[in-house]
Amino acid sequence: MKSSRPLPSLNALRAFEAAGRRLSFRAAADELGVTQGAVAQQVRGLETKLGFLLFQRLRRGVLLTERGAVYFSEVHRAFEQLIAATDTALSRKRIVTVSVTPTFASKCLIPNLPNFSVEYPDIELRVLATDAVSDFERDGVDLAVRLTKPPFPLGQAAEFLFSDMIVVGSPNLISECSLPLSARDIAEFTLLNDGQANWKTLLGDHHARAELHINQAALAIEAAMSGQGLAMANRVFLEDALRSGRLVQVADEVVATDVGYYLVLLKKTHDDAALAVSRWIREHVVQA
């Protein structure tokens, strides 16, 4: 039986979904291989058909209206389901996109990707390395690993991975020192600070002679290996350097922090491939 409420055209929905995901008519046009004017025209036609505005037009880009955001969420989900159904029909690999911090990507995830390909040959893992908090719906992210702390947004399920940190240094840097170093000893070195390092708690009443601020833990670890100072980082990021002897743990204390790394998924996630990736991260990446 023919529906009494015909759907908008597929081209209009594609233009709206791309513009909503990219928050730019120009970027959507580049993605779809059409002109910016064509995207704008399709969106205007869709707004006319629906009877309400989908976007606020800004000088640079666009912003979804409140009703537009609700509609986008459903349209984006529909396109994802169509893509998944088509991939299944064509027996193609299931694509899972995981958003992780750059340090987690470089120190944990990427070194283990060859093993993942062997264990899950039917899943293509796409890694989005960014410190920005991803919007699962807008960015097409299936799961994320984030440095954060509770509470978490409604609709998200977060599983704690790790948080405690240790202090490390290059063997050449501490060659003349007796280990473990005391807080007084540590204060005499240049301390590498990536923003997460909790040096104040470790040093107590002692003041650092010098600090070098670096914006990522991976870079602080590299600086420590080159002898530029002592680094404080999560042990899971340091395992390879500790095993190879490029770094040594210089203090016995494990430093607690109020933030940690969490594996985050949408509570409504039931996709077998995404759930398999989350299990693999827990069992083979973090526990490796």
Side-chain angles (χ1 to χ4, degrees):
M1 183 176 68
K2 186 177 180 180
S3 172
S4 60
R5 298 168 61 188
L7 290 171
S9 74
L10 181 59
N11 284 341
L13 291 173
R14 287 181 66 206
F16 166 61
E17 191 276 340
R21 179 161 37 81
R22 306 294 294 272
L23 294 181
S24 166
F25 286 174
R26 181 183 297 277
D30 291 342
E31 178 179 316
L32 298 175
V34 299
T35 66
Q36 183 176 347
V39 170
Q41 183 179 3
Q42 291 284 3
V43 171
R44 281 196 302 270
L46 182 58
E47 290 174 328
T48 299
K49 185 174 184 62
L50 295 174
F52 59 86
L53 289 177
L54 296 168
F55 293 103
Q56 297 178 36
R57 275 70 169 177
L58 308 175
R59 290 187 62 186
R60 293 187 177 181
V62 292
L63 186 66
L64 286 161
T65 63
E66 184 175 352
R67 294 182 72 180
V70 173
Y71 190 50
F72 169 79
S73 177
E74 298 301 325
V75 170
H76 176 72
R77 183 179 299 111
F79 273 102
E80 288 292 295
Q81 290 172 342
L82 286 172
I83 292 170
T86 303
D87 285 348
T88 299
L90 297 176
S91 298
R92 291 170 54 185
K93 288 186 177 182
R94 172 68 174 93
I95 297 172
V96 176
T97 301
V98 54
S99 173
V100 298
T101 65
T103 298
F104 191 91
S106 65
K107 297 298 182 183
C108 297
L109 198 56
I110 292 175
N112 284 286
L113 288 183
N115 294 333
F116 176 85
S117 298
V118 171
E119 189 168 352
Y120 295 99
D122 296 329
I123 300 177
E124 179 180 331
L125 192 61
R126 294 185 176 176
V127 180
L128 178 63
T130 175
D131 283 319
V133 177
S134 296
D135 184 301
F136 282 79
E137 301 285 0
R138 186 190 68 212
D139 299 333
V141 171
D142 296 292
L143 64 151
V145 175
R146 283 281 155 260
L147 177 61
T148 183
K149 62 181 178 180
F152 301 100
L154 292 175
Q156 292 185 7
E159 180 179 345
F160 174 78
L161 296 177
F162 56 86
S163 64
D164 289 347
M165 310 177 78
I166 61 173
V167 181
V168 294
S170 162
N172 292 333
L173 183 67
I174 50 88
S175 60
E176 298 182 3
C177 301
S178 177
L179 299 182
L181 300 180
S182 66
R184 182 190 298 273
D185 296 331
I186 291 172
E188 293 301 313
F189 288 87
T190 296
L191 306 183
L192 305 171
N193 196 335
D194 66 338
Q196 187 191 359
N198 191 1
W199 290 112
K200 185 175 181 181
T201 296
L202 180 65
L203 296 182
D205 295 332
H206 303 286
H207 298 283
R209 180 177 62 83
E211 285 194 52
L212 177 59
H213 292 267
I214 302 176
N215 70 340
Q216 289 183 11
L219 299 178
I221 293 169
E222 293 295 325
M225 288 192 290
S226 66
Q228 296 183 45
L230 301 181
M232 181 186 296
N234 301 103
R235 180 181 288 276
V236 71
F237 297 151
L238 299 165
E239 291 295 346
D240 182 61
L242 291 171
R243 280 195 298 266
S244 65
R246 289 174 293 169
L247 289 173
V248 294
Q249 184 172 348
V250 301
D252 291 335
E253 292 86 347
V254 174
V255 184
T257 177
D258 63 345
V259 295
Y261 280 84
Y262 288 80
L263 181 64
V264 185
L265 298 92
L266 293 177
K267 289 181 178 178
K268 61 186 178 183
T269 297
H270 299 293
D271 181 83
D272 290 341
L275 295 175
V277 173
S278 70
R279 288 193 300 271
W280 176 76
I281 289 175
R282 290 194 304 269
E283 297 170 6
H284 297 285
V285 176
V286 176
Q287 302 299 328

